[in-house]
Amino acid sequence: MSVWLPTSPCTPEACAGHEGSTASIPRAVLRLTAAVALILLGILGAPPVRLLPAGPRHTVVRAWSAALVRAFGIRITVHGSPGPGGGRLLVPNHISWLDIPLVAAAVPCRMLAKSDILDWPVLGRLAGGAGTLFIERDKIRALPATVETVTGALLAGDRVTVFPEGSTWCGRAQGTFRRAAFQSALDARVPVQPVRLAYLHCDGTPAGAPAFVGDDPLTASLWRIARARGVRAEVRLLPRIPPGRYAHRRDLAAAAQQAVLGASAPTLLPGIPAQPVAPSATDKDSANRPAASVHHWVSSSPAAANSFRTPS
């Protein structure tokens, strides 16, 4: 592992506990069975779905993604609107592997993910068939090619989701937005849409069960989420930052991070240190080349909240 890779100090022991009622073991097993069935259905259905026109294809993908999140007993609420089509860079905070289907349930998009996901059983094959873009996070020399790939997708009119923290955080603390992906938006001259993700209890406090942090095994995360009750997922599609507002990726990344963070400062858990803000591996370059790592409210008010509905 290279020293320049972003890391999070969040750990499963400190951050991923579930406070509240739990589902019975039979119900948790039923949830996992439903999720696995949906994943297998997604793998089998991906080839014919890719042949559909864009509108019906996006509807199917959003419905499938929402069903996968709901299979774990998690309700979804979306605030704001996806807005018009066309190329756009979406930049959410990163809490869990669930973030991927959660964002896809709200906005039709392609994902940028670490190449390690290709080795995940079943899920890797599904991600590969869904048009996911991959990055080798431990090879800094691969960054320029990754930025060019994302730029090409944006120029082709795709919405691309990048998690610029470069690592998952628990949701009660956040990492610094890395700058490389924002160069793609500058080069393609497309808007950047900040997205705020949260997993909450019924009383609005952050839920720890979905957090996928540190050395948490995927199997442990799946079981923890399946056992949790009373968790809801919230997606806030914040106002887009138009192209040309910022000339440098540093300023664009800072504006997007501030939008996602909102007015409140991050709350760090006991024993979880703040992430040091260190210069990235390419900060010394004078040219606008990619920064060290790419992983997933500027002027107007947020749109009114709406319960998630799959478009007809």
Side-chain angles (χ1 to χ4, degrees):
M1 186 68 71
S2 301
V3 296
W4 57 267
L5 283 177
T7 57
S8 163
C10 299
T11 64
E13 296 77 17
C15 307
H18 176 63
E19 298 178 359
S21 59
T22 58
S24 64
I25 290 178
R27 179 178 287 275
V29 171
L30 183 62
R31 286 176 173 177
L32 287 175
T33 302
V36 170
L38 281 166
I39 291 170
L40 293 176
L41 178 63
I43 292 174
L44 295 174
V49 167
R50 282 198 296 268
L51 300 177
L52 294 174
R57 183 174 70 251
H58 292 160
T59 298
V60 170
V61 171
R62 290 182 69 183
W64 179 89
S65 300
L68 181 60
V69 176
R70 286 171 172 163
F72 285 95
I74 298 177
R75 295 181 295 111
I76 303 174
T77 303
V78 176
H79 301 256
S81 168
R88 186 186 316 166
L89 186 71
L90 291 94
V91 286
N93 55 307
H94 203 9
I95 301 171
S96 173
W97 56 267
L98 268 174
D99 298 348
I100 295 174
L102 181 59
V103 173
V107 186
C109 60
R110 301 178 69 179
M111 299 284 172
L112 178 67
K114 58 182 182 179
S115 57
D116 308 41
I117 289 177
L118 287 170
D119 298 327
W120 287 10
V122 186
L123 291 174
R125 182 176 175 184
L126 179 62
T132 302
L133 306 172
F134 293 99
I135 176 174
E136 297 182 59
R137 294 177 70 241
D138 58 347
K139 295 183 179 179
I140 191 171
R141 292 182 180 179
L143 272 171
T146 301
V147 172
E148 289 178 8
T149 299
V150 174
T151 302
L154 295 172
L155 288 171
D158 292 337
R159 294 179 174 124
V160 179
T161 295
V162 175
F163 297 97
E165 286 170 296
S167 181
T168 48
W169 286 65
C170 66
R172 286 166 284 189
Q174 281 188 312
T176 302
F177 275 21
R178 304 293 167 137
R179 306 167 187 174
F182 293 91
Q183 188 62 45
S184 298
L186 292 175
D187 293 343
R189 295 194 58 79
V190 299
V192 170
Q193 181 157 31
V195 181
R196 187 183 305 154
L197 305 180
Y199 298 91
L200 306 169
H201 294 296
C202 295
D203 61 1
T205 58
F212 184 54
V213 293
D215 56 358
D216 199 12
L218 179 60
T219 51
S221 175
L222 287 166
W223 183 246
R224 185 173 61 247
I225 294 171
R227 287 297 310 273
R229 293 184 63 185
V231 177
R232 63 182 176 90
E234 185 176 87
V235 183
R236 290 187 178 273
L237 303 174
L238 303 173
R240 293 175 290 279
I241 303 174
R245 175 165 293 182
Y246 298 99
H248 197 282
R249 64 177 183 268
R250 175 188 61 243
D251 302 321
L252 185 55
Q257 179 174 345
Q258 183 57 44
V260 173
L261 182 62
S264 58
T267 302
L268 295 181
L269 301 178
I272 302 298
Q275 184 189 44
V277 180
S280 66
T282 55
D283 275 352
K284 295 180 180 179
D285 296 345
S286 57
N288 256 1
R289 288 183 291 180
S293 175
V294 187
H295 180 64
H296 75 142
W297 250 314
V298 179
S299 59
S300 58
S301 303
N306 61 284
S307 296
F308 179 86
R309 293 184 298 170
T310 301
S312 57

